[in-house]
Amino acid sequence: MYTFNPGPSAVYPAVRQYLTDAFDEGWLSAPHRSEKVTALVRQTVADLKSKLNVPQDYTVLFTGSATECWEILAQSLTPRRSFHLYNGDFGEKWYKYAKALRPASTGLSFGLDELPDIASLPFAPDDTDLVCITQNETSTATQLREGFILNLYNRLGGALLAVDATSSLAGLNLKYIKADIWYGSVQKCFGLPAGLGVMILSPRAVAQAKLVNDRAHYNALPAMLSQMLNHQTNYTPNVLGIYLMSRVLADREPIKAVAQHLADRAEKLYAFFDQATPLQPFVHNPETRSTTVIGLAGEAALIEEIKAKAKEAGLQLGSGYGPLKNTTIRIANFPAVPDAAMEALVQFFAKEYPG
Ligand SMILES: *Cc1c(COP(=O)(O)O)cnc(C)c1O
């Protein structure tokens, strides 16, 4: 069975061996302040930076999930308010989390085929702590490209740019230098089981976290940052998750090659579904289509039939998300989904639904 769920998603087959190795090598009961574990954390952070092209002066922290990052950012980097730009469920949820903690926060939604006009965004740069975007909106299969993020970054004033990259971190060659906070979790493009989040901070974000000096939460940034100086965490971390990440990163090609492979596959899939199938990509603008999550739309009854038939053929298609649950399917174009799965998917549609 191939799974195309966009999270939790396909894990690398090698994870099976890594799990056995983790047990045999004693990682599951290794004390988290021991040299064994701190050396692992140091190495994993170094590999993450080199394999994903993260600038050396950025700081990498481990969290429990991407959702937890929403809360940390509101608590530790938002003394006043954040401004949220969103076009799907994840971006909107982030906005709601932020507003619950910082009621002065505001948001603006935009259409799937649309790019917001940066010059007229309704936020006051000198009265806003964070500008928040979702680089790859998993629920609507849309994406904000490098050029948009760069233009936004250039208009920030005193605000920091925070980017939810949960379904693109470790899949795309992100330009980390053009934002201050990037985060994601590992059950998407890392090809790993859930239970670990990663947050990447610019020197400007680290300085701001020290200034805000949140001490009221167990995962407050100042404490996380000072522990990470010694490659440690405030609490007993997910050592197994970090170990699995270290193994996956060691096996990985540099991100440039990974991203190119995904871009090539996305182009082929969009071209295929634009033509001869009963389902159509529901994002029409090629400039706003995601390269890591392909969204297809159709009648609810047809979607149900296709999902059932595909399952019989050994293909687990991803359901729609939130309000799009019954009228869309999503195809994860993540690094751990093998080329053979993509070929099987195309063959399934060519055979069952010839144009
Ligand atoms: C999956 C996802 C999340 C939530 O991730 P968790 O690890 O479940 O907290 C947040 N944002 C985006 C864009 C996602 O795709």
Side-chain angles (χ1 to χ4, degrees):
M1 177 72 92
Y2 289 124
T3 177
F4 298 90
N5 275 334
S9 56
V11 299
Y12 286 107
V15 167
R16 183 190 168 99
Q17 183 61 48
Y18 302 156
L19 286 166
T20 308
D21 292 347
F23 188 96
D24 292 345
E25 293 168 16
W27 291 102
L28 302 188
S29 33
H32 59 291
R33 310 217 182 273
S34 64
E35 167 63 20
K36 181 179 167 96
V37 172
T38 57
L40 171 73
V41 170
R42 187 185 334 111
Q43 185 63 48
T44 307
V45 168
D47 287 350
L48 188 126
K49 284 185 175 178
S50 73
K51 285 286 164 79
L52 302 189
N53 272 342
V54 175
Q56 281 308 326
D57 61 352
Y58 275 47
T59 300
V60 175
L61 298 173
F62 292 110
T63 68
S65 68
T67 302
E68 191 193 6
C69 296
W70 296 340
E71 202 171 88
I72 293 172
L73 293 176
Q75 289 166 347
S76 290
L77 278 175
T78 315
R80 297 166 299 178
R81 60 173 62 81
S82 47
F83 171 71
H84 299 254
L85 205 47
Y86 58 91
N87 74 349
D89 238 54
F90 286 108
E92 188 173 7
K93 270 193 197 154
W94 182 6
Y95 172 37
K96 285 182 179 158
Y97 269 73
K99 205 167 169 62
L101 289 164
R102 298 291 181 265
S105 296
T106 55
L108 180 73
S109 71
F110 60 100
L112 304 191
D113 295 306
E114 189 191 328
L115 277 178
D117 175 32
I118 289 172
S120 63
L121 290 178
F123 73 96
D126 295 323
D127 203 22
T128 302
D129 301 304
L130 289 185
V131 172
C132 301
I133 57 173
T134 303
Q135 194 273 335
N136 197 74
E137 178 49 80
T138 322
S139 69
T140 51
T142 57
Q143 196 168 92
L144 293 171
R145 309 256 197 265
E146 196 180 316
F148 178 85
I149 298 177
L150 173 64
N151 289 338
L152 182 58
Y153 188 67
N154 288 339
R155 289 200 59 98
L156 285 178
L160 298 175
L161 183 56
V163 186
D164 181 340
T166 305
S167 52
S168 50
L169 186 70
L172 300 186
N173 191 11
L174 300 166
K175 296 291 178 281
Y176 295 96
I177 195 138
K178 295 305 175 195
D180 297 290
I181 301 118
W182 299 81
Y183 63 84
S185 40
V186 299
Q187 73 276 17
K188 313 242 166 126
C189 290
F190 281 93
L192 288 169
L196 189 66
V198 182
M199 189 188 280
I200 300 171
L201 301 173
S202 72
R204 206 160 79 111
V206 170
Q208 180 65 9
K210 288 181 181 159
L211 213 64
V212 174
N213 198 28
D214 169 25
R215 299 276 166 188
H217 305 97
Y218 94 107
N219 259 344
L221 281 179
M224 295 174 79
L225 288 165
S226 68
Q227 288 285 357
M228 198 36 119
L229 291 177
N230 300 315
H231 312 287
Q232 294 186 26
T233 46
N234 307 335
Y235 57 93
T236 316
N238 182 350
V239 174
L240 174 61
I242 295 169
Y243 173 81
L244 294 176
M245 180 186 283
S246 79
R247 295 292 303 267
V248 159
L249 286 169
D251 282 358
R252 274 280 190 111
E253 285 183 293
I255 192 68
K256 216 173 151 187
V258 173
Q260 186 59 53
H261 186 188
L262 298 189
D264 293 345
R265 287 203 314 205
E267 198 180 309
K268 280 190 206 141
L269 286 173
Y270 280 119
F272 177 74
F273 285 107
D274 268 333
Q275 288 189 358
T277 71
L279 299 178
Q280 290 295 310
F282 61 82
V283 180
H284 300 291
N285 183 351
E287 284 310 303
T288 63
R289 282 177 173 173
S290 168
T291 41
T292 55
V293 180
I294 316 293
L296 303 170
E299 294 285 318
L302 177 66
I303 295 266
E304 203 179 316
E305 177 198 301
I306 290 174
K307 280 203 290 201
K309 272 195 191 169
K311 201 165 180 182
E312 276 170 37
L315 307 170
Q316 173 101 49
L317 305 180
S319 290
Y321 191 88
L324 299 170
K325 190 161 178 50
N326 297 322
T327 52
T328 63
I329 62 169
R330 292 175 303 159
I331 307 292
N333 180 31
F334 291 168
V337 177
D339 288 346
M342 294 303 182
E343 280 152 27
L345 180 73
V346 166
Q347 275 165 21
F348 164 79
F349 276 98
K351 173 163 167 270
E352 296 289 335
Y353 300 95

